[in-house]
Amino acid sequence: DEFVTGMTSDSVGKFLLSTSGDGKLSWYDLRKRGGALKAMSDEFDEELTCVELMMSGSKVITGCGVGQVQIFNWGDFGYRNDVLVPFSDPVEKIAKLDEFTFLTGGPGGILRAARLSPNAVLGVAGFCRDSTTSELPGIDGVCASPDSGLAAVVSDDHKVRVFDVAQYRGQEGRGPPAKRRKVVKGKRLEAAEKVELAKGFFDDV
């Protein structure tokens, strides 16, 4: 009887998944008249805020009001299979980048990237910072581009911000994106010159 907080369906519209304010995940069969309820999770203490299908439909993830991502195996909706917890604020929005990688947002105004299998938070993908006040307005919506290279974020200050998130694609089985190492060309050339000098020295011996 509580309000619906999020919905998603499969690509061909056979079923619908929804989350609600009373902390439940529900599965509906859309091939039945009126969308028959097929399964429902146990009631969680916290509100479930959003839902997404991952890993070619084998996993279902939901955000929640205590800064977690709940992970369910497909068809086993009674209780979560795992949980991803290192979020400092509620996870109210989820946007899928690929079958393993997704973005999260919430009232803290921070866009994060995370991954399944293995489960990990990859890092902060962006801040919805107000240039005049330096405040972080909350995130009301997140959407990834078709190639998952960009993410559009709608925030409480009625603005849309676009972030480059291409580095987070295809992260299955990997660690956080590596920081680029600075290559100081001068030092490398100097080392190469020393090698050449050494060669010349031994040639004359």
Side-chain angles (χ1 to χ4, degrees), residues 176-195:
K179 292 182 179 178
R180 291 185 178 179
R181 297 176 62 187
K182 270 189 178 179
V183 176
V184 183
K185 291 184 178 178
K187 288 185 177 179
R188 292 185 68 180
L189 288 172
E190 184 181 347
E193 287 171 357
K194 287 181 178 178
V195 171

Side-chain angles (χ1 to χ4, degrees), residues 111-128:
L111 182 69
R112 291 183 174 87
R115 177 201 61 209
L116 300 179
S117 188
N119 306 332
V121 177
L122 299 173
V124 173
F127 296 93
C128 291

Side-chain angles (χ1 to χ4, degrees), residues 20-165:
S20 58
D22 58 356
K24 291 179 181 176
L25 170 66
S26 302
W27 170 32
Y28 297 90
D29 187 346
L30 298 180
R31 295 168 295 183
K32 307 286 185 181
R33 169 166 267 185
L37 178 64
K38 296 288 289 183
M40 182 180 292
S41 72
D42 294 338
E43 184 174 328
F44 288 88
D45 293 333
E46 60 274 3
E47 172 187 343
L48 298 185
T49 54
C50 49
V51 59
E52 186 60 82
L53 275 169
M54 301 293 294
M55 295 177 63
S56 302
S58 65
K59 297 286 185 181
V60 176
I61 59 174
T62 66
C64 72
V66 295
Q68 298 177 352
V69 171
Q70 315 278 4
I71 304 169
F72 297 83
N73 288 329
W74 176 256
D76 185 13
F77 300 125
Y79 196 69
R80 68 192 180 205
N81 170 255
D82 206 347
V83 62
L84 188 56
V85 295
F87 296 92
S88 57
D89 57 335
V91 177
E92 294 187 349
K93 303 298 175 186
I94 289 176
K96 182 176 179 178
L97 286 180
D98 56 43
E99 294 301 328
F100 291 85
T101 317
F102 57 97
L103 301 171
T104 69
I110 302 174
L111 182 69
R112 291 183 174 87
R115 177 201 61 209
L116 300 179
S117 188
N119 306 332
V121 177
L122 299 173
V124 173
F127 296 93
C128 291
R129 194 178 302 281
D130 189 309
S131 58
T132 57
T133 65
S134 294
E135 293 181 354
L136 292 173
I139 293 175
D140 290 331
V142 183
C143 181
S145 62
D147 66 353
S148 299
L150 299 172
V153 177
V154 181
S155 53
D156 287 345
D157 58 354
H158 311 293
K159 293 180 180 178
V160 177
R161 295 173 174 84
V162 178
F163 298 93
D164 183 351
V165 294

Side-chain angles (χ1 to χ4, degrees), residues 8-22:
T8 191
S9 66
D10 65 316
S11 59
V12 293
K14 289 183 178 180
F15 59 82
L16 174 76
L17 293 168
S18 71
T19 50
S20 58
D22 58 356

